[in-house]
Amino acid sequence: MEQLMKTAKALRGLFKVLSVILKIAMVACMVGLAIIAAGLLFDLDPDMIGEGYENISLGVLEFSLADGYAPAPQTVLSQLAVEIVGALVVAFVCGKAIACVLEILDPMTEGKPFTNVISANLKKLAVYIIVMGVGVNLIQLAETVMSSGHLLRPLLEGGAFTRVTIQYGFDLSFLVTASVLFLLSYIFRYGEELQQLSDETL
């Protein structure tokens, strides 16, 4: 039990640090989103906001488009804004998941692994994992579609290609993690019931 308490305390410290880092990242994203919004709203010079508008990333590949083929900076900024909003949503859910982990670890640091909060938070954590998994997949799909459109439109208009098909496969590995968490929640729920019976007997 003492080893469990030590491990839980160490993990709790780690997740508290991760929570702070996540909040800092979210603030940075919101600042970036505000800058992009101001640039688009007030039609500021794109060079005041950033550079490299002619560079398009597609997976592990990065393309530098020639003058006349690069997308308008406003288009690139709009795409970036969509990606930041998606990242903020995922980060928010991730923050909720970290909060669940902290609530799970709190009773364990006191040597109470079978309190009723653990199974409930494991279920919530599994749901958050599913939401994050779906969100990440959708962000990656949107990024691929938008980046491909910027890169391939000039080539299609020039007749270099007759047709382009994007084949994207959803990564469903998060469902395995969620399933394990659901299973653990049932195991802990059973342990909580046994602990309750034991307490009533005493």
Side-chain angles (χ1 to χ4, degrees):
M1 185 65 71
E2 187 176 341
Q3 185 61 41
L4 171 67
M5 293 168 64
K6 285 183 179 179
T7 303
K9 287 177 181 177
L11 288 174
R12 192 180 187 286
L14 173 63
F15 278 97
K16 287 290 284 184
V17 171
L18 289 176
S19 177
V20 172
I21 293 173
L22 183 64
K23 288 176 182 175
I24 293 172
M26 289 178 69
V27 170
C29 285
M30 287 188 283
V31 170
L33 191 61
I35 292 172
I36 292 172
L40 294 174
L41 186 62
F42 298 108
D43 197 24
L44 300 177
D45 184 354
D47 291 333
M48 293 175 60
I49 301 173
E51 56 185 20
Y53 298 104
E54 71 283 355
N55 296 328
I56 302 294
S57 295
L58 194 60
V60 297
L61 303 176
E62 183 169 323
F63 300 88
S64 294
L65 302 180
D67 291 340
Y69 291 96
Q74 289 77 10
T75 304
V76 177
L77 290 174
S78 298
Q79 174 184 340
L80 183 58
V82 170
E83 292 174 6
I84 291 175
V85 169
L88 278 172
V89 172
V90 171
F92 175 77
V93 177
C94 188
K96 291 286 190 181
I98 289 176
C100 280
V101 173
L102 291 173
E103 287 187 24
I104 290 169
L105 292 172
D106 279 342
M108 290 187 176
T109 59
E110 300 171 0
K112 300 175 182 177
F114 294 111
T115 58
N116 57 3
V117 299
I118 293 180
S119 62
N121 278 288
L122 281 170
K123 281 184 181 180
K124 284 198 279 187
L125 185 58
V127 172
Y128 289 142
I129 291 291
I130 293 172
V131 173
M132 280 191 290
V134 172
V136 168
N137 274 287
L138 291 176
I139 291 172
Q140 291 176 343
L141 177 60
E143 182 181 0
T144 300
V145 169
M146 289 187 288
S147 297
S148 300
H150 296 160
L151 174 65
L152 298 175
R153 188 178 294 111
L155 298 177
L156 289 170
E157 291 173 352
F161 299 110
T162 57
R163 192 180 91 175
V164 175
T165 303
I166 298 175
Q167 295 181 338
Y168 180 83
F170 268 50
D171 179 10
L172 299 178
S173 58
F174 64 90
L175 292 177
V176 176
T177 305
S179 299
V180 171
L181 289 172
F182 276 124
L183 179 60
L184 283 173
S185 75
Y186 295 129
I187 293 172
F188 272 89
R189 180 59 184 159
Y190 181 65
E192 291 163 10
E193 290 174 357
L194 291 178
Q195 182 68 53
Q196 185 178 356
L197 288 172
S198 175
D199 293 342
E200 290 174 355
T201 302
L202 295 174

